[in-house]
Amino acid sequence: QWASSSAATVNDVMVAAQLRAIALESGWRGPEDGALRMTGTVDMRRYMETGRGEALCNLSSFFFPQFGIELGDDLTGTVSLVKAEIDRLKQDYMGLGFVFGSYLATLLQPFGLMKRFVRFLFSRMIASGNMPPALTNMGIIDEAKLDFGAPELASAVICVPVNQPPLFVTGLSGFRGSLTMSCGFYESALPADRVELLYRRIDSELPG
């Protein structure tokens, strides 16, 4: 359906829809407001031979796509931009750079110093308005692992934790061919009607 993106993933499409929704609802004015950016999560099991971890551990990382100053005329154009950027990152071991870079940057720092540095970093990002929104794709829920007998499971969803301002994080999970988006927020920081408008915009961007 999308030009030059016949292999576009569901994730590509959802990133594009959210990117368009946030840009349009926030009144983004193109080059005047700077480049379009988002943050995403990476399942690091993609780099493991079996694709699975043997114990409870943190096997996720982050990636930081930048989409330039052109949004695209419609969802088709935005999907093409998103797919090209994410495909580029995938070819460069997406997510590994953040893991190793963070490890090396904090290797010799005591916890107290690292805590102050992170607080300073976030303060600067908040002051400059330079905090991109995030979408974490938590994948498809394995129905077989949730089968505990009667009664039969009707539905399942994974929800993201409550956002700590100024972070804005949405989550995507799949079950039985359906997709669910979630967002936890403090209404004192982000009114519920704004979130509803954003979700309605995302829904209107999606085909069918």
Side-chain angles (χ1 to χ4, degrees):
Q1 180 177 354
W2 286 281
S4 71
S5 59
S6 58
T9 65
V10 170
N11 188 74
D12 293 334
V13 176
M14 295 305 298
V15 169
Q18 177 160 311
L19 185 68
R20 290 185 60 81
I22 290 176
L24 295 171
E25 287 297 327
S26 65
W28 179 75
R29 296 166 295 179
E32 185 177 346
D33 288 332
L36 292 162
R37 297 183 299 125
M38 285 183 66
T39 301
T41 53
V42 184
D43 186 343
M44 301 301 285
R45 290 175 297 183
R46 67 192 295 127
Y47 301 117
M48 301 173 67
E49 185 176 346
T50 63
R52 298 188 55 156
E54 300 301 326
L56 292 175
C57 55
N58 188 347
L59 289 172
S60 64
S61 182
F62 297 94
F63 71 106
F64 307 92
Q66 300 192 46
F67 305 110
I69 56 175
E70 297 294 335
L71 182 62
D73 295 331
D74 53 21
L75 183 64
T76 298
T78 308
V79 168
S80 295
L81 293 172
V82 167
K83 176 175 167 49
E85 173 65 356
I86 292 182
D87 283 354
R88 181 187 70 81
L89 293 170
K90 286 178 179 178
Q91 294 174 9
D92 195 27
Y93 298 98
M94 182 169 69
L96 285 178
F98 179 82
V99 171
F100 293 131
S102 300
Y103 171 73
L104 293 174
T106 59
L107 180 61
L108 299 178
Q109 293 187 35
F111 177 74
L113 180 61
M114 184 172 64
K115 184 177 180 180
R116 287 195 293 271
F117 172 74
V118 171
R119 185 176 298 166
F120 167 78
L121 181 63
F122 270 77
S123 297
R124 289 292 300 271
M125 294 174 73
I126 293 169
S128 64
N130 194 21
M131 182 73 72
L135 170 63
T136 177
N137 185 343
M138 297 169 284
I140 298 173
I141 300 171
D142 187 346
E143 183 176 353
K145 293 182 178 179
L146 300 179
D147 184 2
F148 301 105
E152 182 182 354
L153 182 66
S155 63
V157 61
I158 304 175
C159 297
V160 294
V162 175
N163 294 201
Q164 293 284 350
L167 295 175
F168 179 74
V169 183
T170 58
L172 180 69
S173 64
F175 183 74
R176 289 182 181 171
S178 65
L179 296 174
T180 300
M181 292 196 74
S182 61
C183 176
F185 60 95
Y186 294 100
E187 190 159 5
S188 58
L190 182 63
D193 58 350
R194 292 294 306 277
V195 178
E196 183 178 355
L197 282 173
L198 177 65
Y199 271 51
R200 288 185 182 277
R201 170 70 76 172
I202 293 173
D203 186 57
S204 69
E205 291 288 339
L206 294 171

